[in-house]
Amino acid sequence: MKKKGITVSGSLKKDNVTMYTRCGKIIMRTSTSDMPLQRTRSQFVNRQRVAHSTNLWKALRASGNPLFAGSRTAYARFNSLMCKMPRVFMTKEEYRNYGALLLPGMPVSDGILPDIGYTWGEAGGLPALVTTVRVWRPLPTAACGTDMVRALCYPNEDWREGDGLRLYTLVQKVENMVPKVYVTMEEAWLNHGDSEWGFAELAPRRVGNQLALAGSAIDDPTRGWALVHTRGESSSSQGVLTRSTLYEQYMTEEALLRAAESYGGLTEAPFITPG
């Protein structure tokens, strides 16, 4: 049916009929299927990956607008990168209650700016996230915007006034027996000014000639951290550094079978056999 003043957004289902818009035309087709339900092992593993990625994306998106380039949408790029992450298995009820697991290396951004490296370390007697960001001048105890611009931007061409640093903090919790991930995002800008520069729980410090973010929260084994360089809608490509190991309990064969049982169990792969 050619469109004549009618706009259909998404799909409509009524009496086993589905209507949707494609390429400027309204398509109407049957919404019933005679195909038997297939839930082979490989299909189930892939569906679990998608379900887990979806819940992690919702947690990440709740903290602000994630920056992911290189695909049609930020969500599509996130899902593509999540294909490289460990496979975890949860039940239908856990996913319905937004179950998610904190994964080491989980992507929080993807872009064209130079990546930031970071690792566990110490600064001023406190545990710290020691980064590869070069510091050119000493940092005062309470660094303000002007101090950080001078320390980071000159004479380093990778950083400019107006650039930002996003700090992602991810927390693994278990609520009513369901593992969940909560994400917060803070931003600090390289602007001249008298405002203090830093984050709620982590303070900027200098270790050698590198920027470190120090605070007792770094030692919390239920947390994960990621630092992103931003410039407008561009960003560096960053993943999560965490000591959390809860996800390992959900990678086992037992976890897979438990999850599959909640969906009705696995089915045998269809094969063409003689006779």
Side-chain angles (χ1 to χ4, degrees), residues 111-126:
I112 61 174
L113 296 181
D115 298 349
I116 300 174
Y118 32 80
T119 187
W120 309 117
E122 183 178 299
L126 290 172

Side-chain angles (χ1 to χ4, degrees), residues 12 29 32 80 89 95 138 144 148 156 159 171 180 258:
L12 303 174
R29 64 171 176 78
T32 60
S80 176
F89 308 102
Y95 278 129
C144 71
M148 293 305 299
N156 190 351
W159 293 84
V171 182
K180 297 183 179 182
R258 169 179 169 268

Side-chain angles (χ1 to χ4, degrees), residues 175-197:
E175 299 175 349
N176 298 321
M177 305 298 291
V178 177
K180 297 183 179 182
V181 173
Y182 293 92
V183 184
T184 57
M185 185 267 288
E186 302 171 83
E187 290 185 283
W189 304 100
L190 296 181
N191 292 322
H192 285 290
D194 296 328
S195 60
E196 290 189 4
W197 193 98

Side-chain angles (χ1 to χ4, degrees), residues 167-171 182-186 201-202 223-226:
L167 177 67
Y168 283 94
T169 305
L170 298 90
V171 182
Y182 293 92
V183 184
T184 57
M185 185 267 288
E186 302 171 83
E201 296 183 280
L202 304 181
R223 298 200 188 194
W225 310 89

Side-chain angles (χ1 to χ4, degrees), residues 257-273:
L257 295 177
R258 169 179 169 268
E261 186 64 27
S262 71
Y263 287 88
L266 300 176
T267 61
E268 295 295 328
F271 291 104
I272 298 177
T273 56

Side-chain angles (χ1 to χ4, degrees), residues 36-45 47 256-257 260-261 263-271:
L37 175 64
Q38 295 292 338
R39 196 183 300 107
T40 65
R41 184 185 181 95
S42 60
Q43 288 172 328
F44 182 73
V45 169
R47 290 167 184 166
L256 187 154
L257 295 177
E261 186 64 27
Y263 287 88
L266 300 176
T267 61
E268 295 295 328
F271 291 104

Side-chain angles (χ1 to χ4, degrees), residues 162-241:
D163 283 8
L165 278 173
R166 282 188 176 187
L167 177 67
Y168 283 94
T169 305
L170 298 90
V171 182
Q172 178 75 78
K173 294 185 178 183
V174 178
E175 299 175 349
N176 298 321
M177 305 298 291
V178 177
K180 297 183 179 182
V181 173
Y182 293 92
V183 184
T184 57
M185 185 267 288
E186 302 171 83
E187 290 185 283
W189 304 100
L190 296 181
N191 292 322
H192 285 290
D194 296 328
S195 60
E196 290 189 4
W197 193 98
F199 305 105
E201 296 183 280
L202 304 181
R205 295 289 183 267
R206 180 174 175 170
V207 175
N209 63 349
Q210 295 172 294
L211 174 68
L213 299 176
S216 58
I218 289 290
D219 270 348
D220 188 340
T222 67
R223 298 200 188 194
W225 310 89
L227 192 64
V228 182
H229 178 190
T230 66
R231 181 179 297 154
E233 293 299 312
S234 298
S235 73
S236 56
S237 302
Q238 305 297 155
V240 173
L241 187 65

